[in-house]
Amino acid sequence: MTDKSIKEMQAEVDQYIGQFKEGYFSPLAMLARMTEEVGELSREINHYYGEKPKKTTEAERTVEEEMGDILFVLICFANSLNIDLEEAHNRVMEKFNTRDKDRWTKIDEQGEN
């Protein structure tokens, strides 16, 4: 596998969805699907890191797989609303690097009081 940019991932998902007559789901249906996928990730996290081990009859799924499902749905959601995820990422990083730049203790500041 090769590394893909966010734009390439968005284009790949758009090409995949574009082959079906149904196309993208409505925003509300997409949000419901995202919620469902986050719930599945929560279940896996609880199995691996929480107090609720899997039953022997439950299929083995991974945190990585569930995160991949969430990423796919997020890309579908963004594409359906014509949102450039790279631009969205740049905007949020700008916010964190300006508004929140002094919110957390930086590693090189731990020794200072």
Side-chain angles (χ1 to χ4, degrees):
M1 280 199 193
T2 60
D3 291 341
K4 296 176 187 174
S5 70
I6 293 173
K7 284 188 187 306
E8 290 169 328
M9 288 189 285
Q10 283 193 260
E12 183 178 20
V13 168
D14 196 55
Q15 183 178 9
Y16 174 76
I17 296 296
Q19 67 183 327
F20 303 109
K21 289 180 183 180
E22 295 81 2
Y24 291 107
F25 296 154
S26 70
L28 189 56
M30 203 76 73
L31 182 59
R33 184 148 181 241
M34 174 85 67
T35 302
E36 178 184 341
E37 295 298 347
V38 170
E40 290 176 12
L41 175 62
S42 298
R43 184 174 178 84
E44 287 302 304
I45 293 292
N46 196 23
H47 288 316
Y48 287 107
Y49 304 104
E51 291 72 38
K52 187 179 177 195
K54 279 187 180 279
K55 297 175 187 173
T56 55
T57 57
E58 287 183 280
E60 191 67 29
R61 298 196 64 172
T62 66
V63 170
E64 179 182 24
E65 184 178 348
E66 297 304 340
M67 286 186 176
D69 288 347
I70 291 169
L71 181 59
F72 178 80
V73 175
L74 177 64
I75 291 171
C76 286
F77 207 170
N79 285 353
S80 73
L81 297 173
N82 295 313
I83 292 172
D84 179 334
L85 284 172
E86 189 172 315
E87 178 59 31
H89 169 77
N90 291 342
R91 286 182 183 181
V92 77
M93 289 310 298
E94 176 65 21
K95 178 176 66 176
F96 285 122
N97 286 317
T98 55
R99 184 193 73 188
D100 295 339
K101 68 181 173 67
D102 297 320
R103 187 173 189 176
W104 310 106
T105 306
K106 293 186 178 166
I107 292 172
D108 60 346
E109 295 175 359
Q110 286 180 342
E112 300 173 16
N113 286 331

